[in-house]
Amino acid sequence: ETGVTQSPTHLIKTRGQQVTLRCSSQSGHNTVSWYQQALGQGPQFIFQYYREEENGRGNFPPRFSGLQFPNYSSELNVNALELDDSALYLCASSSQGRSYGYTFGSGTRLTVV
Amino acid sequence: DQQVKQNSPSLSVQEGRISILNCDYTNSMFDYFLWYKKYPAEGPTFLISISSIKDKNEDGRFTVFLNKSAKHLSLHIVPSQPGDSAVYFCAASNSGGSNYKLTFGKGTLLTVNP
């Protein structure tokens, strides 16, 4: 059973640029959720994708967008990067659009300079 | 507005003793609670959960207690081991509504000293 894999592990971008983060879900999971963890904070829900559609969204602006592919992998896109976007971005996979049974990836550390 | 609060940023205990991590919540719609453990450079890993129909759940050295009237839960680790040193996050979900997401606290850094 493969776990959740995220790429890249680290990334440095300049303010105003765009970034794409990738996530492969655990085998057997059809749902992917994205969380942002700022320094000293707990993970904050960005959105969830289930059956290739957005299944719920947290309090993040539209410049945060995502995709889910037929193989259940997912991308998180952030446009017009701001310094406050610097954080650890966590992907979690689960089943049936639920938060129970999350398996988290190790995250992508994004630094915006 | 923090709906899940972990008021102790850190906790230090001796190996073999009990570790007690606390969590408070404000949203009365939360009915499912989880604890996650996180090591540096790794994602959070699930530890134990409890539904609001229960007031206690045990799994080996880990026990979670839920006090619904006080909107408070706690995680007990007995006996504590050095390998338990990590950041512990409390998380909550509303199974009747937005069950697709978890709301996390800020975490408590537990250090278990040999």
Side-chain angles (χ1 to χ4, degrees):
Chain A
E1 179 180 277
T2 56
V4 175
T5 56
Q6 292 187 242
S7 62
T9 54
H10 294 84
L11 201 52
I12 299 175
K13 287 286 189 178
T14 303
R15 190 172 48 183
Q17 285 188 315
Q18 178 265 343
V19 69
T20 298
L21 310 182
R22 295 179 174 82
C23 173
S24 294
S25 61
Q26 178 171 302
S27 175
H29 284 177
N30 59 12
T31 302
V32 173
S33 304
W34 288 92
Y35 285 78
Q36 180 196 64
Q37 187 183 4
L39 200 61
Q41 303 294 315
Q44 270 201 293
F45 177 74
I46 303 175
F47 43 55
Q48 183 186 83
Y49 278 84
Y50 173 50
R51 293 181 175 173
E52 301 179 54
E53 291 193 1
E54 189 178 284
N55 188 43
R57 188 177 183 94
N59 190 24
F60 280 82
R63 59 189 185 83
F64 285 78
S65 63
L67 281 174
Q68 186 179 34
F69 301 99
N71 67 353
Y72 307 128
S73 66
S74 176
E75 287 182 356
L76 164 65
N77 299 290
V78 187
N79 292 323
L81 284 166
E82 301 177 359
L83 297 180
D84 283 349
D85 296 333
S86 296
L88 179 68
Y89 288 85
L90 294 163
C91 168
S93 72
S94 60
S95 299
Q96 308 307 327
R98 295 177 184 167
S99 61
Y100 313 152
Y102 269 170
T103 300
F104 279 92
S106 298
T108 294
R109 172 70 63 186
L110 172 66
T111 303
V112 182
V113 296
Chain B
D1 175 34
Q2 272 240 294
Q3 297 186 59
V4 176
K5 299 177 185 179
Q6 293 177 256
N7 292 321
S8 298
S10 63
L11 175 68
S12 182
V13 300
Q14 286 299 120
E15 181 178 5
R17 306 293 290 268
I18 185 171
S19 295
I20 300 177
L21 296 97
N22 294 303
C23 177
D24 297 294
Y25 62 97
T26 57
N27 187 340
S28 58
M29 299 300 292
F30 288 148
D31 59 1
Y32 192 72
F33 304 89
L34 308 91
W35 284 93
Y36 282 83
K37 179 165 93 169
K38 186 179 185 301
Y39 293 117
E42 294 184 14
T45 55
F46 171 75
L47 205 53
I48 192 169
S49 63
I50 188 166
S51 164
S52 60
I53 62 172
K54 294 185 173 182
D55 54 18
K56 177 181 172 182
N57 189 27
E58 278 183 272
D59 184 1
R61 297 186 297 115
F62 302 92
T63 302
V64 56
F65 295 92
L66 175 62
N67 182 334
K68 288 187 291 293
S69 59
K71 293 193 177 68
H72 177 84
L73 61 154
S74 61
L75 174 68
H76 292 209
I77 306 174
V78 185
S80 301
Q81 299 173 354
D84 295 330
S85 297
V87 177
Y88 289 77
F89 290 102
C90 170
S93 176
N94 168 13
S95 64
S98 51
N99 66 343
Y100 49 82
K101 71 173 185 179
L102 294 178
T103 301
F104 285 85
K106 291 186 177 183
T108 296
L109 173 63
L110 173 66
T111 303
V112 180
N113 302 300

